[in-house]
Amino acid sequence: MGAENYWPWGLSVDDLNADGFDDAFLTSSMNFPLRYGVNSLLLNEGGERWRDSEFILGVEPRAGGLAVPWFELDLVGADKESPVLEILQKDGADLKEFPDRVVIWGAMGSRSSVIFDLDDDGDLDIVTNEFNSGPQVLVSDLTEQTEIRFVEIELSGRQSNRDGLGAVVRVVLQDRVLTQSNDGKSGYLSHSSLPLYFGLGDAEAIDRTEVLWPSGVTQTVTEGLLLNSRIEIAESTN
């Protein structure tokens, strides 16, 4: 399927190109003392395979560089017996050539990410949590490049919990049904923002939306289903 990057941490899933198929963003790497590992942006090609797109879309190489100062060693004082010196020697370093104090650099690396519409322009953006550094804010310019179609579904529970967590939402189009579980968009140590985002591809209309609430209530909405809008659905008490 083309979905392996060999060094994954957090996984975030959403429809980054609004084509109706969920894509994946994988944060990667292990920082010092290991090499840099790229974050993977995998575009879902019609449910058939994943396409590596991080270099095409500007996620990699990261703008802030691949390494940062990690820590400083006092080689003639408190750190002269530090275990990290053994690592440096195994990597071929000649400690006799080092100054009394040395700054050790380490590879940048992301631990987790969230996907949501940060700038409220209709396409989805990515914010990462970096280990030992500030976050990356990856703002999509998709809506500046092309016209997209989407719908956001915001749930309000009454019998169920307030945010409708645990509900299953189906957006029914003429030729297919898009389904999402309202699970808070969980990833490693992260939760993406509600509401649910459905990319609609080339769909010209939404036939209906169905919600199976945690309470067991099944609710069908057929009115007010406008493209490129946020639809608020309050749980029926009937």
Side-chain angles (χ1 to χ4, degrees), residues 13 15 34 49 51 56 85 88 100 105 117 125 134-136 143-144 151 177 179-180 186 192-193 198 227 232 234 237:
V13 175
D15 191 353
L34 304 175
R49 61 166 286 118
R51 183 71 65 183
I56 296 173
L85 299 180
L88 295 174
D100 292 347
W105 284 56
D117 188 359
D125 311 298
Q136 291 190 96
T143 53
E144 299 174 16
V151 68
V177 178
T179 303
Q180 288 193 43
S186 58
S192 294
S193 177
F198 291 83
L227 301 186
E232 298 181 4
T237 57

Side-chain angles (χ1 to χ4, degrees), residues 5 7-8 10 24-31 35-42 52-67 107-113 126 128-130 136-139:
N5 82 342
W7 214 342
F25 186 82
L26 285 75
T27 55
S28 306
S29 83
M30 282 291 290
N31 309 107
R35 63 169 175 80
Y36 179 81
V38 301
N39 289 324
S40 294
L41 197 164
L42 304 176
D52 283 306
S53 304
E54 57 273 5
F55 287 95
I56 296 173
L57 297 179
V59 172
E60 296 285 352
R62 62 174 64 214
L66 304 186
M108 296 289 292
S110 304
R111 282 297 186 268
S112 60
S113 60
I126 302 170
T128 70
N129 180 36
E130 302 294 300
Q136 291 190 96
V137 181
L138 306 172
V139 178

Side-chain angles (χ1 to χ4, degrees), residues 10-12 112-113 184-192:
L11 168 69
S12 294
S112 60
S113 60
K185 296 290 183 184
S186 58
Y188 175 69
L189 297 179
S190 61
H191 283 269
S192 294

Side-chain angles (χ1 to χ4, degrees), residues 24-230:
F25 186 82
L26 285 75
T27 55
S28 306
S29 83
M30 282 291 290
N31 309 107
F32 179 86
L34 304 175
R35 63 169 175 80
Y36 179 81
V38 301
N39 289 324
S40 294
L41 197 164
L42 304 176
L43 292 182
N44 185 341
E45 293 193 340
E48 298 294 328
R49 61 166 286 118
W50 300 95
R51 183 71 65 183
D52 283 306
S53 304
E54 57 273 5
F55 287 95
I56 296 173
L57 297 179
V59 172
E60 296 285 352
R62 62 174 64 214
L66 304 186
V68 292
W70 214 250
F71 54 86
E72 183 176 336
L73 290 175
D74 178 4
L75 299 184
V76 296
D79 300 314
K80 62 183 179 181
E81 304 294 335
S82 174
V84 75
L85 299 180
E86 297 181 13
I87 297 175
L88 295 174
Q89 288 178 311
K90 288 180 180 179
D91 287 342
D94 184 357
L95 299 184
K96 295 180 181 179
E97 297 180 357
F98 279 32
D100 292 347
R101 302 186 71 88
V102 61
V103 176
I104 305 298
W105 284 56
M108 296 289 292
S110 304
R111 282 297 186 268
S112 60
S113 60
V114 289
I115 299 176
F116 63 104
D117 188 359
L118 176 66
D119 51 0
D120 199 27
D121 64 349
D123 55 30
L124 295 175
D125 311 298
I126 302 170
V127 179
T128 70
N129 180 36
E130 302 294 300
F131 192 65
N132 204 30
S133 187
Q136 291 190 96
V137 181
L138 306 172
V139 178
S140 172
D141 62 355
L142 181 62
T143 53
E144 299 174 16
Q145 306 297 325
T146 187
E147 180 183 354
I148 65 171
R149 298 172 183 176
F150 68 93
V151 68
E152 296 177 344
I153 303 294
E154 182 172 1
L155 301 180
S156 177
R158 294 179 178 175
Q159 301 181 69
S160 305
N161 63 82
R162 183 179 60 184
D163 291 321
L165 293 173
V168 175
V169 179
R170 298 184 180 93
V171 174
V172 181
L173 309 176
Q174 185 175 11
D175 59 346
R176 55 182 160 156
V177 178
L178 306 178
T179 303
Q180 288 193 43
S181 174
N182 187 25
D183 61 359
K185 296 290 183 184
S186 58
Y188 175 69
L189 297 179
S190 61
H191 283 269
S192 294
S193 177
L194 301 175
L196 297 176
Y197 180 96
F198 291 83
L200 303 178
D202 58 0
E204 297 182 353
I206 301 171
D207 289 348
R208 64 184 184 277
T209 297
E210 301 170 350
V211 182
L212 175 59
W213 295 91
S215 64
V217 171
T218 299
Q219 187 173 354
T220 300
V221 178
T222 58
E223 297 181 354
L225 303 178
L226 301 177
L227 301 186
N228 296 5
S229 69
R230 177 175 297 188

